[in-house]
């Protein structure tokens, strides 16, 4: 079995995806999880790992949860 | 126009009469937010539209739920309620408080917010109405210092709620408060960090009376039941029969929805045909009681009308023992969440998801064996289309 990818690497890839889609498409946590599993492969990336990565992005303040009809992971508003 | 000069003749009409008035309550609050709140309401009555919008980017650090952003669309006219966010505070199971802690909660809210609450909201949470964005974090910090936390909102697991169960009621077939507390602790992540396509609600009812209306309002309804015979005290039944308060034949036996009772000096119940409507137990509480082999029926899929129309729950598991640590229940919950979170559409409740994919397929995917008791309501056909190899019943 391949070695599992690190939380930081997944978080970084998620952050890049949120940045790329900012203003074009809102992403739900599950959208991010599916994208990461597709990117890294399900042998290296799991749902629990992705949840940890989302938590790291949110707790670190790089992303926030926003409510726009449903709950999404987005960039924080610009000051 | 200054605060004092603002007239609210339409709103004032709702102050008249002997009953409690929300207008009177709001007017009594010594806070400029309260005055502007009534001003916006007066304007809404005049214009016949609500001057509010909700959603957005408000919250506390790390959480994706618990704060519902509220803004009025006339901020220049009503600046004190330009931001008037709602805070949902996770209530204790069964809504038990000391008067002391209620005072402290109110002190926090008077210091940081409008001082107005409509506790409890229909979600079950303590509701603080009217927080500005800059006061969200200080309010949250004060609440956590008091031992409270925010509840759920958005696409989170919503704050689980329950009836008072064994703390206040003789009919509770399982410890609703214990289960509610356990699920709240177990699923903190799902409560605060929205992982789902849309909201997911648990409501725990101790018996089929379903005082928390879980069958109509919860994505997963956990309703206490029993699977042996109703306990009968024949002497107490005869006391009811001999009293002038109750006609056992007319008021009990003939009102049994399945006609499974007979009385001829001795009450007989065909328990296999009892649908647990609770009527006989409710009207003869001294004579009848739920059976001794108790647990819960798990139902899935109810919701209020938002988006796709109202749904009632359908039976998913006819009987499940409800003892800590509730491993079977949690295994079921997590299987449901995994499937729905991955395949549900945005803003699709689990009941709507099931309608789309079919309940038979849904059960198949979560690995739940079919049972003939899986019905939408008693005395209807099961929703499972049985294959020959599963039709052993």
């Amino acid at each position: 079995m391949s070695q599992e990818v690190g939380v930081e690497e997944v978080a970084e890839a998620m952050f890049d995806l949120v940045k790329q889609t900012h203003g074009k498409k809102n992403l739900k946590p599950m959208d991010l999880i599916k994208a990461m599993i597709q990117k890294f492969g399900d042998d290296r990336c799991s749902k629990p790992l992705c949840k940890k990565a989302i938590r790291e992005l949110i707790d670190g303040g790089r992303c926030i949860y926003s409510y726009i009809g449903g709950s999404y992971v987005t960039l924080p508003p610009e000051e | 126009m200054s605060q004092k000069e603002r007239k609210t003749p339409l709103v004032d009409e709702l102050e008249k009469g002997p009953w409690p008035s929300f207008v009177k309550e709001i007017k009594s609050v010594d806070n400029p937010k309260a005055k502007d709140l009534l001003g916006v309401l007066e304007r809404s009555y005049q214009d016949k539209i609500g001057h509010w919008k909700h959603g957005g980017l408000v919250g506390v650090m790390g959480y994706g739920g618990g704060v519902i952003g509220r803004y009025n669309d006339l901020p220049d006219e009503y600046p004190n309620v330009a931001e008037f966010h709602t805070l949902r505070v996770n209530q204790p199971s069964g809504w038990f408080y000391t008067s002391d802690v209620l005072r402290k909660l109110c002190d926090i809210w008077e210091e940081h917010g409008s001082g107005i609450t409509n506790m409890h909201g229909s979600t079950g949470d303590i509701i603080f109405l009217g927080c500005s964005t800059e006061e969200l974090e200080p309010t949250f910090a004060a609440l956590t210092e008091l031992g409270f936390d925010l509840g759920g909102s958005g696409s989170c697991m919503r704050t689980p709620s329950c009836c008072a169960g064994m703390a206040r009621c003789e009919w509770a077939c399982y410890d609703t408060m214990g289960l509610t507390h356990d699920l709240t602790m177990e699923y903190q992540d799902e409560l605060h960090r929205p992982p789902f396509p849309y909201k997911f609600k648990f409501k725990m009812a101790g018996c089929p009376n379903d005082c928390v209306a879980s069958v109509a309002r919860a994505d997963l309804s956990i309703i206490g039941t029993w699977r042996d015979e109703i306990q009968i005290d024949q002497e107490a039944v005869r006391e009811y029969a001999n009293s002038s308060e109750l006609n056992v034949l007319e008021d009990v036996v003939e009102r049994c929805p399945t006609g499974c009772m007979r009385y001829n000096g001795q009450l007989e119940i065909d328990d296999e045909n009892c649908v647990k409507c609770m009527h006989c137990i409710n009207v003869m509480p001294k004579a009848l009681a739920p059976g001794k082999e108790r647990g819960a029926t798990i139902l899935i899929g109810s919701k209020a009308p938002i988006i796709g129309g109202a749904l009632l729950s359908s039976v998913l598991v006819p009987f499940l023992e409800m003892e800590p640590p509730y491993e079977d229940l949690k295994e079921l919950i997590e299987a449901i969440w995994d499937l729905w979170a991955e395949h549900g559409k945005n803003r699709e409740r689990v009941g709507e998801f099931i309608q789309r994919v079919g309940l038979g397929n849904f059960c198949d995917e979560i690995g739940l064996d079919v049972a003939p008791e899986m019905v939408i309501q008693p005395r209807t056909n099961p929703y499972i289309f049985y294959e020959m190899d599963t039709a052993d019943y």
Side-chain angles (χ1 to χ4, degrees):
Chain A
M1 185 181 164
S2 310
Q3 193 178 358
E4 191 176 65
V5 65
V7 177
E8 293 77 16
E9 192 177 348
V10 177
E12 207 55 46
M14 281 181 175
F15 184 67
D16 286 345
L17 184 58
V18 173
K19 262 199 315 193
Q20 282 168 26
T21 55
H22 183 63
K24 299 170 197 156
K25 183 179 187 324
N26 293 314
L27 299 171
K28 297 183 82 68
M30 186 51 73
D31 297 330
L32 289 170
I33 291 170
K34 284 179 181 172
M36 293 303 109
I37 290 173
Q38 190 174 21
K39 178 182 172 73
F40 293 107
D42 60 8
D43 55 338
R44 296 183 64 216
C45 183
S46 63
K47 280 185 191 172
L49 175 68
C50 290
K51 285 184 178 177
K52 283 184 194 165
I54 293 172
R55 189 175 190 136
E56 191 161 299
L57 287 176
I58 299 289
D59 288 353
R62 299 176 76 193
C63 289
I64 59 166
Y65 290 112
S66 60
Y67 184 82
I68 315 153
S71 299
Y72 297 93
V73 177
T74 62
L75 296 178
E78 289 176 17
E79 294 297 327
Chain B
M1 186 182 287
S2 75
Q3 302 277 337
K4 286 179 183 172
E5 291 169 13
R6 184 173 284 136
K7 304 289 185 201
T8 55
L10 296 174
V11 167
D12 292 348
E13 286 295 310
L14 299 175
E15 219 178 350
K16 296 175 182 172
W19 48 84
S21 162
F22 74 96
V23 175
K24 189 175 175 186
E25 290 296 319
I26 296 174
K27 279 185 177 175
S28 70
V29 178
D30 183 21
N31 186 316
K33 287 178 188 286
K35 292 183 174 57
D36 271 8
L37 178 63
L38 286 176
V40 173
L41 184 57
E42 178 75 16
R43 183 66 180 269
S44 294
Y45 286 170
Q46 288 168 358
D47 299 346
K48 295 186 171 55
I49 56 166
H51 281 288
W52 294 99
K53 46 190 180 176
H54 84 285
L57 305 175
V58 289
V60 297
M61 185 72 173
Y63 279 24
V67 180
I68 299 103
R70 293 274 168 193
Y71 304 88
N72 86 60
D73 62 7
L74 302 165
D76 295 334
E77 292 179 54
Y78 306 99
N80 295 304
V81 291
E83 296 164 349
F84 202 72
H85 310 314
T86 299
L87 278 171
R88 286 193 182 139
V89 182
N90 193 334
Q91 79 284 8
S93 294
W95 301 287
F96 281 85
Y97 307 94
T98 62
S99 51
D100 179 55
V101 88
L102 282 175
R103 283 188 200 96
K104 287 173 178 163
L105 282 166
C106 292
D107 287 345
I108 289 171
W109 193 226
E110 284 183 2
E111 181 182 348
H112 296 285
S114 68
I116 298 169
T117 166
N118 61 1
M119 66 184 307
H120 293 92
S122 56
T123 61
D125 302 81
I126 303 164
I127 302 292
F128 285 173
L129 294 167
C131 194
S132 64
T133 304
E134 69 174 10
E135 283 296 330
L136 287 171
E137 290 288 356
T139 310
F140 180 51
L143 285 169
T144 51
E145 195 176 333
L146 187 60
F148 281 79
D149 195 359
L150 295 186
S153 67
S155 304
C156 289
M157 175 186 89
R158 297 302 181 82
T159 318
S161 72
C162 63
C163 67
M166 289 173 172
R168 297 279 291 159
C169 179
E170 68 268 44
W171 305 142
C173 294
Y174 72 97
D175 181 2
T176 55
M177 298 170 67
L179 176 62
T180 301
H181 184 73
D182 190 296
L183 293 181
T184 305
M185 296 300 112
E186 178 86 17
Y187 296 122
Q188 279 287 297
D189 220 39
E190 285 77 7
L191 180 60
H192 299 307
R193 298 166 183 275
F196 303 133
Y198 205 18
K199 64 186 87 169
F200 191 95
K201 297 181 180 181
F202 291 105
K203 289 199 189 293
M204 275 51 88
C207 79
N209 278 331
D210 193 13
C211 293
V212 286
S214 67
V215 77
R217 298 177 53 208
D219 297 276
L220 204 72
S221 318
I222 302 169
I223 302 177
T225 190
W226 64 95
R227 60 178 173 184
D228 55 348
E229 294 82 33
I230 290 175
Q231 300 179 71
I232 307 174
D233 179 341
Q234 295 289 357
E235 189 54 42
V237 175
R238 280 189 285 276
E239 281 178 26
Y240 277 112
N242 294 332
S243 75
S244 57
E245 293 170 11
L246 188 72
N247 183 322
V248 171
L249 272 177
E250 284 181 12
D251 299 334
V252 183
V253 173
E254 289 173 12
R255 290 192 177 185
C256 173
T258 62
C260 75
M261 309 180 81
R262 285 192 299 176
Y263 181 69
N264 188 12
Q266 186 88 355
L267 186 69
E268 292 174 27
I269 301 176
D270 173 10
D271 284 275
E272 288 200 357
N273 276 309
C274 169
V275 289
K276 316 286 195 291
C277 79
M278 291 293 289
H279 173 70
C280 60
I281 295 174
N282 288 335
V283 295
M284 297 199 295
K286 292 175 188 166
L288 302 178
K292 291 178 178 172
E293 199 177 339
R294 298 177 177 189
T297 298
I298 316 298
L299 303 95
I300 192 162
S302 65
K303 60 180 279 292
I306 301 173
I307 303 181
L311 293 173
L312 291 178
S313 290
S314 305
V315 173
L316 192 65
V317 180
F319 185 87
L320 195 61
E321 288 181 3
M322 282 289 138
E323 296 296 331
Y326 311 105
E327 283 172 348
D328 289 344
L329 178 65
K330 288 173 185 170
E331 192 180 327
L332 177 70
I333 290 167
E334 287 161 30
I336 293 166
W337 282 351
D338 269 357
L339 180 67
W340 171 57
E342 188 158 345
H343 300 288
K345 293 179 181 174
N346 189 30
R347 302 194 83 193
E348 184 176 51
R349 294 283 285 272
V350 74
E352 294 161 333
F353 173 68
I354 290 169
Q355 281 193 321
R356 180 162 62 85
V357 301
L359 194 40
N361 292 329
F362 178 82
C363 290
D364 208 26
E365 287 295 321
I366 62 172
L368 196 66
D369 291 336
V370 299
E373 297 92 338
M374 290 174 168
V375 292
I376 292 171
Q377 57 193 27
R379 304 275 148 181
T380 59
N381 287 332
Y383 52 72
I384 302 293
F385 184 81
Y386 288 96
E387 301 292 339
M388 286 305 288
D389 60 348
T390 57
D392 296 335
Y393 298 98

